[in-house]
Amino acid sequence: MSDTVANNSSNKKRITFISRAAPYGRDKAALCLDMALACAVFEQQVNYVFLEDGVYQLLKGQDATAINSKTLGNALETLELYGIDNICVDQKSLQQRGLSEADILAGIQLIDRESISELIKASDTVFNL
Amino acid sequence: MKFSIVIYAAPYSSESAASALRFAQSALAQGHELYRLFFFGDGVHNASKLSVVAQDESNLQQQWHELIQEHNLDSVICVSSAIKRGIVDQSEADRYDLGVASAYSTSEIAGLGQLIDAAMHSDRLVNFG
Amino acid sequence: MSSLHTISRSPDSSLLDTCLTVINDGDALLFIEDGAYHATSQDLLATICSSIQVYALREDILARALLMKIHDRVECVDFQRFVELSCEHDKVISWF
């Protein structure tokens, strides 16, 4: 994690998104994702953190067609395609919900609260929703 | 200092939009610059010019409008949030043959890029939701 | 870089608990809107590290009849001070 924090070129802003909401029930998860995707175009240094109920967005096998909604898991895969540098999930939030790495989408880095607090400290702007 | 303010909350259903307004008023009163207001998600309802309130209540949308007008602020309503909620300016109203614009002309309807631009160019970005 | 954290939901929300697990030394807390009810929570406030300044928005405290009940650690501030605190810290993180 310290690599990510240290590796910052001068005129890029470090923008961290903390996505704390479960998908579908409210629009917070989708709004957070939309902001990050818009951010990628500007080539800023972006961190994306799934915290608390936000970890439910990462569950494999989601299909929201029955509730006339866009399946969020698919959209999350585009985060990487858009060049979002650093996507991580809070280990404690997974544990508290009885989830393991096997339940969630591949390619997401597990981190602890201390690392999240370091990320926050090193960020210029934090979107937290 | 250069501030931008992001408003995620609809007026009246929570206190947050009113808090955002008071923060904006206070920042301007102290001589700070407001680089941009960005209305996102349910926050786009703050730009509606079609609201009517009881005499003993304050009209938040009108207050935003007056503040934006008085200080000639850059105010953006997120297009993807707005048009599906019926918040349209004259050009959107014409494009979709809706007959009437519902947004105050003091705010501009634009994309999320304007939010990221605000994050890049403001000293402080403050979120209310 | 230090942060000003605003908490705008009541203690039922567990927002403050989560915030406290990622807060850094030298950060500050500001209770606004329904977050104002945190200002009366004696047990919780006692556990917050002394390097964290704790504030509550006066308007929200007064509206909710909490002024006489707030914890010693909490300083009441107005919107002007809210803006000043936003300047004194490097960023504002909103918990809602």
Side-chain angles (χ1 to χ4, degrees):
Chain A
M1 189 58 48
S2 50
D3 294 354
T4 323
V5 171
N7 180 19
N8 176 53
S9 58
S10 58
N11 47 8
K12 279 191 181 181
K13 285 262 188 177
R14 291 157 298 191
I15 303 181
T16 296
F17 294 89
I18 304 177
S19 189
R20 300 189 338 263
Y24 314 121
R26 304 203 52 152
D27 65 353
K28 283 176 145 190
L31 293 180
C32 198
L33 185 65
D34 284 349
M35 290 195 289
L37 295 180
C39 208
V41 181
F42 290 83
E43 297 187 337
Q44 303 299 295
Q45 187 184 320
V46 177
N47 304 302
Y48 205 93
V49 182
F50 295 94
L51 183 65
E52 301 288 355
D53 278 352
V55 302
Y56 287 129
Q57 296 172 48
L58 299 173
L59 283 183
K60 287 178 189 164
Q62 296 174 52
D63 180 4
T65 49
I67 53 172
N68 289 324
S69 196
K70 276 190 209 165
T71 301
L72 209 68
N74 299 340
L76 291 171
E77 286 166 357
T78 60
L79 272 175
E80 273 180 319
L81 292 176
Y82 275 64
I84 303 294
D85 309 293
N86 188 23
I87 308 175
C88 13
V89 57
D90 173 51
Q91 208 153 12
K92 189 177 172 192
S93 303
L94 287 174
Q95 278 166 5
Q96 286 171 332
R97 288 159 182 78
L99 301 172
S100 72
E101 222 177 331
D103 297 308
I104 63 170
L105 299 171
I108 319 262
Q109 189 189 347
L110 268 67
I111 57 168
D112 58 18
R113 295 283 163 108
E114 204 172 316
S115 307
I116 295 174
S117 105
E118 279 173 34
L119 269 186
I120 290 175
K121 191 172 188 176
S123 299
D124 296 301
T125 303
V126 176
F127 290 99
N128 178 24
L129 71 166
Chain B
M1 199 158 271
K2 210 184 276 186
F3 280 91
S4 283
I5 298 177
V6 193
I7 301 99
Y8 304 81
Y12 315 119
S13 45
S14 80
E15 194 186 340
S16 302
S19 301
L21 177 72
R22 300 198 58 186
F23 187 92
Q25 289 166 333
S26 188
L28 289 166
Q30 287 173 67
H32 295 296
E33 179 188 343
L34 261 186
Y35 180 79
R36 181 164 296 142
L37 298 173
F38 193 88
F39 296 96
F40 190 32
D42 279 346
V44 300
H45 290 294
N46 288 282
S48 169
K49 66 175 181 184
L50 301 180
S51 90
V52 179
V53 300
Q55 269 188 346
D56 60 346
E57 289 178 36
S58 61
N59 187 327
L60 262 179
Q61 289 99 329
Q62 193 184 334
Q63 288 182 67
W64 278 118
H65 167 66
E66 286 167 3
L67 187 80
I68 294 163
Q69 198 165 44
E70 184 188 343
H71 296 273
N72 197 22
L73 300 178
D74 182 324
S75 172
V76 174
I77 318 165
C78 175
V79 61
S80 58
S81 302
I83 58 176
K84 64 183 162 200
R85 288 174 173 83
I87 302 297
V88 292
D89 60 10
Q90 196 57 55
S91 75
E92 299 288 341
D94 292 343
R95 179 178 314 166
Y96 298 104
D97 204 16
L98 300 173
V100 63
S102 53
Y104 276 113
S105 59
T106 38
S107 290
E108 176 200 359
I109 295 193
L112 269 172
Q114 297 296 308
L115 171 60
I116 307 306
D117 172 82
M120 288 164 62
H121 294 104
S122 309
D123 301 312
R124 299 288 183 276
L125 189 92
V126 188
N127 297 274
F128 288 90
Chain C
M1 298 204 292
S2 72
S3 308
L4 172 68
H5 298 262
T6 64
I7 309 278
S8 61
R9 298 279 183 274
S10 86
D12 259 1
S13 67
S14 81
L15 283 182
L16 179 60
D17 306 288
T18 307
C19 173
L20 289 174
T21 64
V22 296
I23 202 164
N24 285 287
D25 286 347
D27 284 0
L29 280 168
L30 171 61
F31 301 130
I32 65 170
E33 302 167 20
D34 279 347
Y37 293 107
H38 284 291
T40 64
S41 167
Q42 305 295 327
D43 299 343
L44 191 82
L45 287 162
T47 68
I48 296 175
C49 164
S50 60
S51 79
I52 313 280
Q53 290 290 322
V54 185
Y55 305 93
L57 197 60
R58 178 180 298 278
E59 285 87 336
D60 286 319
I61 291 289
L62 292 175
R64 289 165 177 78
L66 303 177
L67 192 59
M68 304 310 287
K69 300 185 178 66
I70 62 174
H71 192 277
D72 292 345
R73 282 205 54 185
V74 181
E75 184 186 335
C76 271
V77 296
D78 58 11
F79 266 94
Q80 179 179 336
R81 186 80 185 107
F82 182 0
V83 172
E84 287 168 7
L85 287 169
S86 308
C87 298
E88 289 166 16
H89 294 274
D90 299 295
K91 58 185 168 285
V92 181
I93 304 181
S94 310
W95 295 82
F96 59 86

